[in-house]
Amino acid sequence: PGLEFQHDLNMSRTRCPPPNRPTYFGDPRVLAFVKAEGGGYLSLSKVVPFSHYAGTLLLLLAGVACLRGIGRWTNPQYRQFITILEATHRNHSAENKRQLANYNFDFKSWPVDFHWEEPSSRKESRGGPSRQGVALLRPEPLHRGTADTLLNRVKKLPCQITSYLVAHTLGRRMLYPGSVYLLQKALMPMLLQGQARLVEECNGRRAKLLACDGNEIDTMFVDRRGTAEPQGQKLVICCEGNAGFYEVGCISTPLEAGYSVLGWNHPGFAGSTGVPFPQNEANAMDVVVQFAIHRLGFQPQDIIIYAWSIGGFTATWAAMSYPDISAVILDASFDDLVPLALKVMPDSWRGLVTRTVRQHLNLNNAEQLCRYQGPVLLIRRTKDEIITTTPSSVHYALRLKLLQYRYPRVMAEEGLRVVRQWLEASSQLEEASIYSRWEVEEDWCLSVLRSYQAEHGPDFPWSVGEDMSADGRRQLALFLAQKYLHNFEATHCTPLPAPNFQMPWHL
């Protein structure tokens, strides 16, 4: 038995390959067999049919493209369109633009009509925009007085990253739903119909403006200066809402009122490129105003800024940046985005929402409006279901902040209290009752304001009412509130009728 065991052990040793010799698992022929039989690798037998399918698909696509090209080339209307488009790119004459406006095509191919650097005064002005954008009012830090050390920056980094992601994904689309591709696709037939109406019935002129950030802004201009109506000499620049387009937006109100009108779409809306963040919005508004002044030939004193809803941000920015414009009309707008954002988000997200809005979506309308010295009209929708922070009252903080800034002595305790009562009135009858209860003498109020203006000048804030009785401040506060605020009994999205489009009051 010992010999047999030794023999078997020797035989097993002779059958085992030496360590340096490859086993059968390393044999290339066996490895190829394992791979072909489902070892998880891509074999030649699988690659060949896939390449056939891909090649067939590419040939079909190439054939479709060739057929489309042949069809376009044999179409005389398309060849005429291409001829006009190429001629317009070479020569931006009015006749070429007029012929090009008869066609509806991808706005990316539309030639640029106005460049943000085109005005010669821009290169010399100290307040002109740079390629990074125009100047905005920056929010104050949330924790003032905290040392900005490296450790604090590291601690804030996760919150800053979260705020950035929320703002650039969910936040921007919730704030500007008109920039969502699917919504634009659904509204495209209506937009094309509205655009055709402006061009054919109102002789509108479409133009592409290039902003300082590289975004292309789609605009429509209707010129009424050649008509007999005196208001046609004034230009109304319309700023649309968060789902509004100039094709079907608030532009119709000043048009029906007889004004010359310039409408434009937010970045990322319809023909405009980019995304509607505050910086891009202000850049777009800047090139629109420059286009109105330097290309359309309107003086700032002949320009009126009219905004609906979220368009109040760009309107107040323009009023702050161009203080010589004639007037500002804000319809169904708000003072600050934070209270409205907190209303629709969970309470547990309060810190994240506030931080995200302040850092990335800071629409500070009231702060910008207070930097403007000209006439202002605030239109409040009494049945507004959007611009409200409580279920039972319409948001009116913008009105109070403007009056408190311009007339701080009048809007003291007594004046502020009576104006709040007037704003919270549930009907016009109740408003008139409050107004008559305090026996407001309009002639006396006008004489007081004119005397102060003649003595101290027109610049706000005014100290009028400093040496006035409590009853006098109440009368003056109600008088000013009625002059600055007009109520419109409608919901948020109801179009403003032309008779309600009135110029702001001024001394």
mmCIF file of all heavy atoms in Angstrom, residues 437-468:
data_model
loop_
_atom_site.group_PDB
_atom_site.id
_atom_site.type_symbol
_atom_site.label_atom_id
_atom_site.label_comp_id
_atom_site.label_asym_id
_atom_site.label_seq_id
_atom_site.Cartn_x
_atom_site.Cartn_y
_atom_site.Cartn_z
ATOM 1 N N ARG A 437 -64.743 109.863 6.748
ATOM 2 C CA ARG A 437 -64.765 109.946 8.208
ATOM 3 C C ARG A 437 -63.719 110.930 8.715
ATOM 4 O O ARG A 437 -63.957 111.654 9.692
ATOM 5 C CB ARG A 437 -64.513 108.561 8.812
ATOM 6 C CG ARG A 437 -64.594 108.526 10.337
ATOM 7 C CD ARG A 437 -64.028 107.215 10.862
ATOM 8 N NE ARG A 437 -64.571 106.067 10.145
ATOM 9 C CZ ARG A 437 -64.049 104.842 10.242
ATOM 10 N NH1 ARG A 437 -62.954 104.642 10.973
ATOM 11 N NH2 ARG A 437 -64.596 103.842 9.583
ATOM 12 N N TRP A 438 -62.578 110.969 8.063
ATOM 13 C CA TRP A 438 -61.511 111.870 8.499
ATOM 14 C C TRP A 438 -61.561 113.214 7.778
ATOM 15 O O TRP A 438 -60.673 114.035 7.966
ATOM 16 C CB TRP A 438 -60.146 111.208 8.286
ATOM 17 C CG TRP A 438 -59.972 109.995 9.137
ATOM 18 C CD1 TRP A 438 -60.038 108.698 8.748
ATOM 19 C CD2 TRP A 438 -59.747 109.971 10.544
ATOM 20 N NE1 TRP A 438 -59.860 107.855 9.816
ATOM 21 C CE2 TRP A 438 -59.674 108.620 10.945
ATOM 22 C CE3 TRP A 438 -59.604 110.961 11.523
ATOM 23 C CZ2 TRP A 438 -59.455 108.227 12.253
ATOM 24 C CZ3 TRP A 438 -59.391 110.572 12.834
ATOM 25 C CH2 TRP A 438 -59.318 109.220 13.193
ATOM 26 N N GLU A 439 -62.603 113.412 6.970
ATOM 27 C CA GLU A 439 -62.857 114.711 6.330
ATOM 28 C C GLU A 439 -61.604 115.242 5.630
ATOM 29 O O GLU A 439 -61.074 116.315 5.945
ATOM 30 C CB GLU A 439 -63.361 115.725 7.361
ATOM 31 C CG GLU A 439 -64.663 115.309 8.047
ATOM 32 C CD GLU A 439 -65.097 116.318 9.088
ATOM 33 O OE1 GLU A 439 -64.303 117.238 9.378
ATOM 34 O OE2 GLU A 439 -66.219 116.181 9.609
ATOM 35 N N VAL A 440 -61.138 114.447 4.682
ATOM 36 C CA VAL A 440 -59.922 114.812 3.953
ATOM 37 C C VAL A 440 -60.202 116.007 3.044
ATOM 38 O O VAL A 440 -61.061 115.944 2.159
ATOM 39 C CB VAL A 440 -59.414 113.611 3.130
ATOM 40 C CG1 VAL A 440 -58.162 114.000 2.344
ATOM 41 C CG2 VAL A 440 -59.138 112.422 4.045
ATOM 42 N N GLU A 441 -59.481 117.075 3.256
ATOM 43 C CA GLU A 441 -59.592 118.273 2.414
ATOM 44 C C GLU A 441 -58.473 118.239 1.378
ATOM 45 O O GLU A 441 -57.312 118.532 1.679
ATOM 46 C CB GLU A 441 -59.496 119.531 3.267
ATOM 47 C CG GLU A 441 -60.599 119.649 4.307
ATOM 48 C CD GLU A 441 -60.461 120.916 5.140
ATOM 49 O OE1 GLU A 441 -59.626 121.778 4.758
ATOM 50 O OE2 GLU A 441 -61.153 121.038 6.154
ATOM 51 N N GLU A 442 -58.843 117.884 0.157
ATOM 52 C CA GLU A 442 -57.838 117.687 -0.882
ATOM 53 C C GLU A 442 -57.126 118.995 -1.255
ATOM 54 O O GLU A 442 -55.917 118.986 -1.514
ATOM 55 C CB GLU A 442 -58.487 117.053 -2.114
ATOM 56 C CG GLU A 442 -59.043 115.647 -1.851
ATOM 57 C CD GLU A 442 -59.464 114.954 -3.128
ATOM 58 O OE1 GLU A 442 -59.400 115.607 -4.198
ATOM 59 O OE2 GLU A 442 -59.850 113.774 -3.052
ATOM 60 N N ASP A 443 -57.842 120.090 -1.285
ATOM 61 C CA ASP A 443 -57.203 121.365 -1.608
ATOM 62 C C ASP A 443 -56.150 121.741 -0.572
ATOM 63 O O ASP A 443 -55.063 122.242 -0.916
ATOM 64 C CB ASP A 443 -58.262 122.472 -1.704
ATOM 65 C CG ASP A 443 -59.189 122.270 -2.884
ATOM 66 O OD1 ASP A 443 -58.785 121.565 -3.830
ATOM 67 O OD2 ASP A 443 -60.319 122.789 -2.848
ATOM 68 N N TRP A 444 -56.472 121.514 0.693
ATOM 69 C CA TRP A 444 -55.493 121.804 1.751
ATOM 70 C C TRP A 444 -54.264 120.904 1.622
ATOM 71 O O TRP A 444 -53.124 121.361 1.763
ATOM 72 C CB TRP A 444 -56.153 121.613 3.115
ATOM 73 C CG TRP A 444 -55.186 121.772 4.253
ATOM 74 C CD1 TRP A 444 -54.725 122.926 4.792
ATOM 75 C CD2 TRP A 444 -54.529 120.696 4.962
ATOM 76 N NE1 TRP A 444 -53.834 122.676 5.805
ATOM 77 C CE2 TRP A 444 -53.693 121.311 5.932
ATOM 78 C CE3 TRP A 444 -54.578 119.317 4.895
ATOM 79 C CZ2 TRP A 444 -52.920 120.558 6.814
ATOM 80 C CZ3 TRP A 444 -53.804 118.567 5.763
ATOM 81 C CH2 TRP A 444 -52.984 119.197 6.719
ATOM 82 N N CYS A 445 -54.502 119.594 1.325
ATOM 83 C CA CYS A 445 -53.375 118.670 1.173
ATOM 84 C C CYS A 445 -52.478 119.087 0.006
ATOM 85 O O CYS A 445 -51.235 119.059 0.114
ATOM 86 C CB CYS A 445 -53.888 117.251 0.962
ATOM 87 S SG CYS A 445 -54.765 116.537 2.369
ATOM 88 N N LEU A 446 -53.076 119.496 -1.096
ATOM 89 C CA LEU A 446 -52.292 119.913 -2.252
ATOM 90 C C LEU A 446 -51.478 121.168 -1.950
ATOM 91 O O LEU A 446 -50.306 121.269 -2.338
ATOM 92 C CB LEU A 446 -53.220 120.170 -3.440
ATOM 93 C CG LEU A 446 -53.695 118.944 -4.221
ATOM 94 C CD1 LEU A 446 -54.720 119.352 -5.271
ATOM 95 C CD2 LEU A 446 -52.520 118.238 -4.877
ATOM 96 N N SER A 447 -52.079 122.105 -1.249
ATOM 97 C CA SER A 447 -51.353 123.337 -0.928
ATOM 98 C C SER A 447 -50.180 123.062 -0.002
ATOM 99 O O SER A 447 -49.092 123.647 -0.164
ATOM 100 C CB SER A 447 -52.308 124.347 -0.295
ATOM 101 O OG SER A 447 -52.803 123.868 0.946
ATOM 102 N N VAL A 448 -50.353 122.153 0.955
ATOM 103 C CA VAL A 448 -49.255 121.804 1.865
ATOM 104 C C VAL A 448 -48.108 121.167 1.097
ATOM 105 O O VAL A 448 -46.925 121.514 1.294
ATOM 106 C CB VAL A 448 -49.762 120.868 2.979
ATOM 107 C CG1 VAL A 448 -48.589 120.306 3.778
ATOM 108 C CG2 VAL A 448 -50.717 121.607 3.901
ATOM 109 N N LEU A 449 -48.423 120.232 0.212
ATOM 110 C CA LEU A 449 -47.379 119.536 -0.542
ATOM 111 C C LEU A 449 -46.672 120.475 -1.516
ATOM 112 O O LEU A 449 -45.442 120.419 -1.659
ATOM 113 C CB LEU A 449 -47.993 118.358 -1.293
ATOM 114 C CG LEU A 449 -48.560 117.224 -0.414
ATOM 115 C CD1 LEU A 449 -49.268 116.180 -1.272
ATOM 116 C CD2 LEU A 449 -47.447 116.557 0.399
ATOM 117 N N ARG A 450 -47.408 121.340 -2.174
ATOM 118 C CA ARG A 450 -46.789 122.261 -3.128
ATOM 119 C C ARG A 450 -45.916 123.289 -2.418
ATOM 120 O O ARG A 450 -44.846 123.659 -2.940
ATOM 121 C CB ARG A 450 -47.871 122.949 -3.946
ATOM 122 C CG ARG A 450 -48.504 122.045 -5.001
ATOM 123 C CD ARG A 450 -49.727 122.672 -5.626
ATOM 124 N NE ARG A 450 -50.281 121.810 -6.671
ATOM 125 C CZ ARG A 450 -51.489 121.965 -7.205
ATOM 126 N NH1 ARG A 450 -52.270 122.969 -6.798
ATOM 127 N NH2 ARG A 450 -51.914 121.144 -8.139
ATOM 128 N N SER A 451 -46.352 123.728 -1.266
ATOM 129 C CA SER A 451 -45.529 124.675 -0.509
ATOM 130 C C SER A 451 -44.223 124.037 -0.079
ATOM 131 O O SER A 451 -43.148 124.655 -0.159
ATOM 132 C CB SER A 451 -46.305 125.174 0.718
ATOM 133 O OG SER A 451 -47.481 125.840 0.332
ATOM 134 N N TYR A 452 -44.296 122.798 0.368
ATOM 135 C CA TYR A 452 -43.068 122.108 0.783
ATOM 136 C C TYR A 452 -42.148 121.895 -0.416
ATOM 137 O O TYR A 452 -40.931 122.094 -0.320
ATOM 138 C CB TYR A 452 -43.413 120.764 1.421
ATOM 139 C CG TYR A 452 -42.185 120.017 1.902
ATOM 140 C CD1 TYR A 452 -41.706 120.202 3.196
ATOM 141 C CD2 TYR A 452 -41.489 119.154 1.060
ATOM 142 C CE1 TYR A 452 -40.565 119.535 3.633
ATOM 143 C CE2 TYR A 452 -40.356 118.491 1.478
ATOM 144 C CZ TYR A 452 -39.897 118.688 2.766
ATOM 145 O OH TYR A 452 -38.768 118.035 3.191
ATOM 146 N N GLN A 453 -42.702 121.505 -1.556
ATOM 147 C CA GLN A 453 -41.882 121.269 -2.740
ATOM 148 C C GLN A 453 -41.216 122.549 -3.220
ATOM 149 O O GLN A 453 -40.044 122.533 -3.625
ATOM 150 C CB GLN A 453 -42.741 120.673 -3.854
ATOM 151 C CG GLN A 453 -41.964 120.287 -5.105
ATOM 152 C CD GLN A 453 -42.867 119.805 -6.217
ATOM 153 O OE1 GLN A 453 -43.901 120.421 -6.486
ATOM 154 N NE2 GLN A 453 -42.498 118.706 -6.859
ATOM 155 N N ALA A 454 -41.934 123.648 -3.172
ATOM 156 C CA ALA A 454 -41.360 124.920 -3.604
ATOM 157 C C ALA A 454 -40.235 125.369 -2.687
ATOM 158 O O ALA A 454 -39.273 126.020 -3.129
ATOM 159 C CB ALA A 454 -42.455 125.982 -3.652
ATOM 160 N N GLU A 455 -40.311 125.008 -1.416
ATOM 161 C CA GLU A 455 -39.306 125.457 -0.453
ATOM 162 C C GLU A 455 -38.116 124.523 -0.367
ATOM 163 O O GLU A 455 -36.968 124.969 -0.234
ATOM 164 C CB GLU A 455 -39.957 125.600 0.925
ATOM 165 C CG GLU A 455 -39.017 126.152 1.988
ATOM 166 C CD GLU A 455 -39.712 126.335 3.321
ATOM 167 O OE1 GLU A 455 -40.954 126.136 3.386
ATOM 168 O OE2 GLU A 455 -39.024 126.674 4.315
ATOM 169 N N HIS A 456 -38.362 123.208 -0.442
ATOM 170 C CA HIS A 456 -37.289 122.243 -0.208
ATOM 171 C C HIS A 456 -36.872 121.451 -1.440
ATOM 172 O O HIS A 456 -35.893 120.706 -1.394
ATOM 173 C CB HIS A 456 -37.713 121.257 0.888
ATOM 174 C CG HIS A 456 -37.986 121.883 2.213
ATOM 175 N ND1 HIS A 456 -39.231 122.380 2.564
ATOM 176 C CD2 HIS A 456 -37.168 122.124 3.280
ATOM 177 C CE1 HIS A 456 -39.185 122.874 3.783
ATOM 178 N NE2 HIS A 456 -37.939 122.750 4.247
ATOM 179 N N GLY A 457 -37.604 121.563 -2.526
ATOM 180 C CA GLY A 457 -37.239 120.827 -3.725
ATOM 181 C C GLY A 457 -37.998 119.513 -3.832
ATOM 182 O O GLY A 457 -38.677 119.065 -2.902
ATOM 183 N N PRO A 458 -37.867 118.816 -4.997
ATOM 184 C CA PRO A 458 -38.678 117.623 -5.241
ATOM 185 C C PRO A 458 -38.082 116.309 -4.741
ATOM 186 O O PRO A 458 -38.750 115.271 -4.788
ATOM 187 C CB PRO A 458 -38.772 117.602 -6.764
ATOM 188 C CG PRO A 458 -37.484 118.205 -7.219
ATOM 189 C CD PRO A 458 -37.097 119.223 -6.190
ATOM 190 N N ASP A 459 -36.838 116.301 -4.301
ATOM 191 C CA ASP A 459 -36.175 115.038 -3.960
ATOM 192 C C ASP A 459 -36.729 114.440 -2.678
ATOM 193 O O ASP A 459 -36.891 115.132 -1.665
ATOM 194 C CB ASP A 459 -34.666 115.256 -3.806
ATOM 195 C CG ASP A 459 -34.008 115.626 -5.126
ATOM 196 O OD1 ASP A 459 -34.610 115.351 -6.188
ATOM 197 O OD2 ASP A 459 -32.902 116.203 -5.107
ATOM 198 N N PHE A 460 -37.016 113.129 -2.740
ATOM 199 C CA PHE A 460 -37.477 112.385 -1.564
ATOM 200 C C PHE A 460 -36.274 111.838 -0.795
ATOM 201 O O PHE A 460 -35.188 111.649 -1.367
ATOM 202 C CB PHE A 460 -38.399 111.246 -2.003
ATOM 203 C CG PHE A 460 -39.660 111.708 -2.689
ATOM 204 C CD1 PHE A 460 -39.804 111.583 -4.070
ATOM 205 C CD2 PHE A 460 -40.688 112.271 -1.956
ATOM 206 C CE1 PHE A 460 -40.952 112.005 -4.699
ATOM 207 C CE2 PHE A 460 -41.847 112.694 -2.589
ATOM 208 C CZ PHE A 460 -41.986 112.559 -3.963
ATOM 209 N N PRO A 461 -36.493 111.587 0.528
ATOM 210 C CA PRO A 461 -37.722 111.684 1.339
ATOM 211 C C PRO A 461 -38.014 113.123 1.787
ATOM 212 O O PRO A 461 -37.110 113.930 1.935
ATOM 213 C CB PRO A 461 -37.433 110.779 2.517
ATOM 214 C CG PRO A 461 -35.947 110.807 2.658
ATOM 215 C CD PRO A 461 -35.390 110.939 1.273
ATOM 216 N N TRP A 462 -39.307 113.379 2.018
ATOM 217 C CA TRP A 462 -39.763 114.682 2.494
ATOM 218 C C TRP A 462 -40.008 114.628 4.000
ATOM 219 O O TRP A 462 -40.445 113.612 4.528
ATOM 220 C CB TRP A 462 -41.071 115.073 1.799
ATOM 221 C CG TRP A 462 -40.905 115.469 0.356
ATOM 222 C CD1 TRP A 462 -39.771 115.363 -0.395
ATOM 223 C CD2 TRP A 462 -41.908 116.023 -0.494
ATOM 224 N NE1 TRP A 462 -39.984 115.809 -1.666
ATOM 225 C CE2 TRP A 462 -41.299 116.231 -1.765
ATOM 226 C CE3 TRP A 462 -43.242 116.366 -0.328
ATOM 227 C CZ2 TRP A 462 -41.995 116.755 -2.846
ATOM 228 C CZ3 TRP A 462 -43.933 116.900 -1.412
ATOM 229 C CH2 TRP A 462 -43.318 117.090 -2.657
ATOM 230 N N SER A 463 -39.748 115.758 4.636
ATOM 231 C CA SER A 463 -40.034 115.874 6.074
ATOM 232 C C SER A 463 -41.348 116.608 6.335
ATOM 233 O O SER A 463 -41.589 117.094 7.441
ATOM 234 C CB SER A 463 -38.893 116.589 6.792
ATOM 235 O OG SER A 463 -38.701 117.883 6.255
ATOM 236 N N VAL A 464 -42.209 116.690 5.323
ATOM 237 C CA VAL A 464 -43.497 117.347 5.494
ATOM 238 C C VAL A 464 -44.322 116.585 6.535
ATOM 239 O O VAL A 464 -44.279 115.359 6.615
ATOM 240 C CB VAL A 464 -44.245 117.421 4.147
ATOM 241 C CG1 VAL A 464 -44.518 116.019 3.593
ATOM 242 C CG2 VAL A 464 -45.535 118.194 4.293
ATOM 243 N N GLY A 465 -45.044 117.323 7.360
ATOM 244 C CA GLY A 465 -45.838 116.725 8.421
ATOM 245 C C GLY A 465 -45.138 116.659 9.753
ATOM 246 O O GLY A 465 -45.698 116.170 10.735
ATOM 247 N N GLU A 466 -43.919 117.187 9.820
ATOM 248 C CA GLU A 466 -43.154 117.112 11.065
ATOM 249 C C GLU A 466 -43.797 117.944 12.168
ATOM 250 O O GLU A 466 -43.860 117.502 13.324
ATOM 251 C CB GLU A 466 -41.719 117.576 10.801
ATOM 252 C CG GLU A 466 -40.778 117.360 11.961
ATOM 253 C CD GLU A 466 -39.356 117.678 11.579
ATOM 254 O OE1 GLU A 466 -39.135 118.273 10.500
ATOM 255 O OE2 GLU A 466 -38.443 117.334 12.358
ATOM 256 N N ASP A 467 -44.279 119.123 11.834
ATOM 257 C CA ASP A 467 -44.916 120.008 12.818
ATOM 258 C C ASP A 467 -46.429 120.057 12.619
ATOM 259 O O ASP A 467 -47.066 121.084 12.857
ATOM 260 C CB ASP A 467 -44.330 121.420 12.705
ATOM 261 C CG ASP A 467 -42.843 121.443 12.958
ATOM 262 O OD1 ASP A 467 -42.386 120.616 13.769
ATOM 263 O OD2 ASP A 467 -42.144 122.257 12.323
ATOM 264 N N MET A 468 -47.016 118.954 12.229
ATOM 265 C CA MET A 468 -48.434 118.906 11.905
ATOM 266 C C MET A 468 -49.177 118.141 12.992
ATOM 267 O O MET A 468 -48.610 117.272 13.678
ATOM 268 C CB MET A 468 -48.625 118.231 10.540
ATOM 269 C CG MET A 468 -49.995 118.395 9.916
ATOM 270 S SD MET A 468 -50.041 117.623 8.278
ATOM 271 C CE MET A 468 -48.899 118.680 7.381
#
